[in-house]
Amino acid sequence: MWRLSPASFEAVSLIRKCLTTSAEPSFSLSIPLLNLLRACKTVKNLKQVHTHIIQKGYEQDHFIINQFISLCNTFSSDVSYATSVFERVMQPNVYVWNTLIKGYSKHSSFADCFLILKQMKRNMNVVPDKYTFPSLVKSCSSALALRDGQAIHGLIVRYGTDSDVFVGSSLIDLYGKCNQIEYARRIFNEMPLRNEVTWTAMVVGYIYFGDLSQAWKLFDEMPHKNIASWNAMISAFVKFGDLLSARKLFDSMPGKDVVSFTTIIDGYAKAGDMASARFLFDQSFDRDIISWSALISGYAQNGQPNEALKIFHEMLSMNVRPDEFIMVSLMCACSQLGRLDLANWVEHYMSQNSFDLNQVHVVAALVDMNAKCGNMERATMLFEGMPKRDLVSYCSMIQGLSIHGCGSQAVVFFDRMLNEGFVPDDVSLKVILTACSRAELVKEGCRIFNLMINKYPAKPSPDHYACVVDLIGRSGKLKDAYELIRSMPIEPHAGAWGALLGACKPHCDIEVGEQVSHRLFELEPQNTGNYVLLSDIYAAANRWLDVALLRLKMSEKGLKKIPGCSWIYVAS
């Protein structure tokens, strides 16, 4: 027969005394049910045990039902099952109410949490206590619902639980995240007792408020720091782009966990320092799915798709199952490589491993991957099946059509996007202007550029002007393109001048080519490509002496021709 140890029996007996109600079955008879509950791993297991609870008459046992609802909260984000079990309890005590509220705070909206609280307040036999409010306040914090949080604060004062350290800490977290830093600090200063959670909540409040110096000052004053405190401060330095301070703090930590490593790895990845990110990843003693995701997404976002693939395969070899965020990063890597065979494998893998392909961010990544890998039929099918399209999904389709030589269709998609009420941003306008340039759709490109200037809030950047210069230049209107650059209201960058110089080559326009190249020599004195382009223009016009003089000029500047460029030697 299964038995509790004397210490365990005494502890559970003490809990039972706190939860006693009349007409409950004997505690000794409930021990096997508790053992079954502890063995549960899924909601299916819970439903099987629920049958025994009903058969044995334990539906009114507060301790059993409290444990049952707590496990429901752990195993499922659907609160309906836990609620149905709760509703069969005739007189639930405060512990059962609190456990239900905790589940709603975790998995439902704060509006639903308020409804449960109202029901609890209507129950004359139950009074909310210090365990009732922290989860409610946390729900308001997550939704940044300041007014509702203030209403809860009023109840906290009314029921006399405002002196509790965990209640106070939750209020500091609420006001800090809602940018009410003075209220947060006032609560912090008035608390009779503070712990590491309290101090950390106040530090995080300053971080949300954007006051890094005050956050650091408070962190430095903390009498005792736990690992969450250190991680919060490291995250703050990463957020503000101070990786040097973040790394210094990371190195000085007395103990590190997976969050510590992941935070700093993600910081390096977002800063483009993948060497440091990989070094720390290899040094980490423990890795979770978020650590793998930070590294894979870092490689994908920094234009290293092959490295992203290598890390993904390393992860699979260690029997770590990827989540949908890792798969989205993998699809980003596939998009950069343009490999249709790999794209097909990724989609097959996701289908075979029961990923939800209907999630908005997953569908958007699938559209982008298929479009950029050349499977426009599949991309179009996914795009048309999307319940809600956005600028990102439209850009994916436009870019895919552009890459694969369907510029006119790209323009059709752009116009459709406008007709559906979307306002184009900087990125979408750059994508469509690039598509027009590639396809030499001068009329359409100029029409869209004029819309940008006269109708939409996005103002042309040097990149947009570079696209239009390239578009006009490709059509042979080199002088018009040159005048456009000269009339720009903002300083043109080398990209615009380079686009025009590139257009001069096929049209053999030496006059414009020389003017443009001399400007580029000033902007990019070490870029040999500009010298090569001008040399090619001279060569096409049989001006070999100019070719030789240009080569001599490069030699004097210590520049070498880039591999693959052929120079014609002219003997003196």
Side-chain angles (χ1 to χ4, degrees):
M1 178 181 288
W2 179 84
R3 294 177 181 274
L4 281 173
S5 67
S8 299
F9 186 85
E10 184 180 352
V12 175
S13 298
L14 184 62
I15 296 171
R16 283 289 295 164
K17 286 179 182 179
C18 297
L19 302 179
T20 51
T21 56
S22 60
E24 286 189 347
S26 169
F27 175 57
S28 61
L29 296 176
S30 70
I31 292 176
L33 281 175
L34 288 172
N35 193 31
L36 285 173
L37 282 173
R38 292 191 185 99
C40 288
K41 302 297 181 186
T42 65
V43 174
K44 184 179 180 181
N45 297 151
L46 281 177
K47 289 182 177 179
Q48 293 169 340
V49 176
H50 192 194
T51 303
H52 290 284
I53 291 173
I54 295 170
Q55 289 175 346
K56 300 294 183 180
Y58 280 89
E59 282 189 288
Q60 305 306 316
D61 186 297
H62 289 166
F63 186 73
I64 291 289
I65 295 302
N66 190 58
Q67 295 294 310
F68 190 90
I69 293 174
S70 179
L71 288 171
C72 285
N73 296 340
T74 302
F75 297 146
S76 175
S77 59
D78 185 0
V79 294
S80 59
Y81 183 42
T83 305
S84 66
V85 173
F86 173 85
E87 287 174 345
R88 294 178 69 89
V89 182
M90 285 185 266
Q91 290 187 339
N93 65 10
V94 67
Y95 300 97
V96 181
W97 277 103
N98 288 347
T99 303
L100 183 70
I101 288 172
K102 189 174 181 180
Y104 269 82
S105 300
K106 185 178 180 182
H107 300 301
S108 190
S109 67
F110 64 87
D112 291 335
C113 296
F114 271 74
L115 290 175
I116 300 297
L117 180 63
K118 286 180 181 178
Q119 292 176 29
M120 181 183 186
K121 287 168 60 184
R122 284 198 294 265
N123 191 319
M124 300 299 294
N125 299 317
V126 178
V127 177
D129 63 9
K130 63 183 181 181
Y131 300 106
T132 307
F133 297 110
S135 57
L136 285 166
V137 177
K138 185 178 179 180
S139 179
C140 294
S141 298
S142 299
L144 300 180
L146 178 61
R147 290 185 63 183
D148 296 288
Q150 288 172 325
I152 295 293
H153 190 177
L155 290 174
I156 287 170
V157 174
R158 175 183 171 187
Y159 286 103
T161 61
D162 50 322
S163 61
D164 179 74
V165 65
F166 291 103
V167 173
S169 299
S170 68
L171 286 171
I172 291 170
D173 182 65
L174 167 72
Y175 287 116
K177 287 180 179 176
C178 291
N179 281 329
Q180 301 295 313
I181 198 66
E182 291 182 6
Y183 284 104
R185 188 61 193 251
R186 187 184 304 169
I187 293 169
F188 178 83
N189 291 339
E190 293 174 356
M191 285 181 69
L193 179 66
R194 303 173 192 145
N195 60 13
E196 291 93 339
V197 176
T198 315
W199 282 86
T200 303
M202 194 65 241
V203 168
V204 171
Y206 278 117
I207 293 167
Y208 268 87
F209 191 66
D211 193 340
L212 183 60
S213 62
Q214 192 64 37
W216 173 246
K217 181 176 181 291
L218 198 66
F219 175 82
D220 199 42
E221 292 173 359
M222 284 181 69
H224 302 287
K225 301 177 179 70
N226 59 16
I227 201 161
S229 313
W230 289 88
N231 289 340
M233 204 62 230
I234 290 171
S235 178
F237 282 124
V238 169
K239 177 183 176 182
F240 284 88
D242 188 355
L243 282 175
L244 192 64
S245 297
R247 181 61 182 271
K248 186 177 179 180
L249 196 63
F250 174 84
D251 290 337
S252 64
M253 284 181 74
K256 303 174 180 67
D257 64 2
V258 66
V259 176
S260 317
F261 276 96
T262 303
T263 301
I264 197 77
I265 288 168
D266 189 53
Y268 277 121
K270 286 177 178 173
D273 187 355
M274 291 309 300
S276 297
R278 182 60 195 267
F279 174 78
L280 285 169
F281 181 82
D282 291 337
Q283 294 295 310
S284 59
F285 51 84
D286 188 21
R287 300 167 186 165
D288 61 8
I289 195 69
I290 302 174
S291 308
W292 289 98
S293 182
L295 193 65
I296 292 170
S297 66
Y299 277 123
Q301 290 166 10
N302 284 288
Q304 300 181 56
N306 285 315
E307 290 300 319
L309 289 172
K310 286 179 186 177
I311 298 299
F312 178 77
H313 286 299
E314 183 182 332
M315 184 187 71
L316 291 184
S317 69
M318 297 181 71
N319 295 319
V320 179
R321 187 183 185 277
D323 60 10
E324 70 269 19
F325 298 104
I326 287 180
M327 296 311 297
V328 167
S329 294
L330 190 66
M331 286 187 274
C332 176
C334 291
S335 298
Q336 294 174 49
L337 292 169
R339 284 181 52 185
L340 185 56
D341 59 333
L342 195 57
N344 290 335
W345 180 88
V346 169
E347 195 162 352
H348 177 74
Y349 176 86
M350 294 181 72
S351 299
Q352 292 297 309
N353 287 275
S354 304
F355 282 90
D356 184 1
L357 303 184
N358 294 317
Q359 295 182 84
V360 174
H361 63 293
V362 174
V363 178
L366 283 169
V367 169
D368 186 66
M369 179 179 68
N370 280 284
K372 289 178 181 172
C373 290
N375 191 351
M376 290 308 304
E377 183 178 349
R378 174 67 175 153
T380 302
M381 187 185 78
L382 289 164
F383 178 83
E384 297 297 348
M386 290 179 77
K388 187 177 180 181
R389 291 180 280 273
D390 57 13
L391 281 176
V392 175
S393 54
Y394 263 109
C395 281
S396 296
M397 289 298 295
I398 293 168
Q399 201 165 16
L401 289 165
S402 171
I403 290 169
H404 299 289
C406 303
S408 297
Q409 288 178 257
V411 173
V412 170
F413 261 87
F414 180 80
D415 288 336
R416 174 181 167 185
M417 183 183 81
L418 299 183
N419 291 333
E420 288 189 12
F422 290 101
V423 177
D425 59 5
D426 291 351
V427 175
S428 56
L429 286 160
K430 184 179 176 182
V431 167
I432 188 59
L433 288 172
T434 301
C436 291
S437 178
R438 280 180 178 156
E440 298 185 16
L441 300 172
V442 180
K443 182 179 177 181
E444 290 83 352
C446 290
R447 171 177 66 85
I448 291 166
F449 188 65
N450 286 330
L451 282 174
M452 183 180 187
I453 294 172
N454 299 317
K455 184 174 181 181
Y456 296 113
K459 298 302 178 185
S461 69
D463 286 338
H464 295 118
Y465 275 102
C467 289
V468 179
V469 167
D470 187 50
L471 170 67
I472 298 172
R474 283 177 187 237
S475 69
K477 299 178 180 179
L478 301 174
K479 286 186 171 55
D480 289 344
Y482 182 63
E483 287 304 317
L484 177 62
I485 292 181
R486 287 171 58 85
S487 64
M488 280 174 59
I490 48 181
E491 185 67 27
H493 56 38
W497 292 106
L500 182 52
L501 183 59
C504 289
K505 179 183 173 181
H507 297 286
C508 299
D509 193 319
I510 295 174
E511 182 186 352
V512 175
E514 286 181 330
Q515 291 174 322
V516 172
S517 61
H518 290 145
R519 180 64 181 132
L520 280 167
F521 295 160
E522 294 173 3
L523 291 172
E524 301 177 321
Q526 300 301 312
N527 188 345
T528 57
N530 297 324
Y531 288 88
V532 172
L533 277 173
L534 181 58
S535 173
D536 289 344
I537 295 170
Y538 284 145
N542 292 320
R543 289 176 54 169
W544 307 114
L545 180 59
D546 289 320
V547 172
L549 289 172
L550 195 60
R551 182 179 183 185
L552 181 62
K553 186 177 181 180
M554 285 186 65
S555 179
E556 290 171 351
K557 290 179 175 291
L559 302 176
K560 295 182 180 180
K561 68 184 181 73
I562 56 176
C565 292
S566 298
W567 288 82
I568 298 174
Y569 177 72
V570 179
S572 56

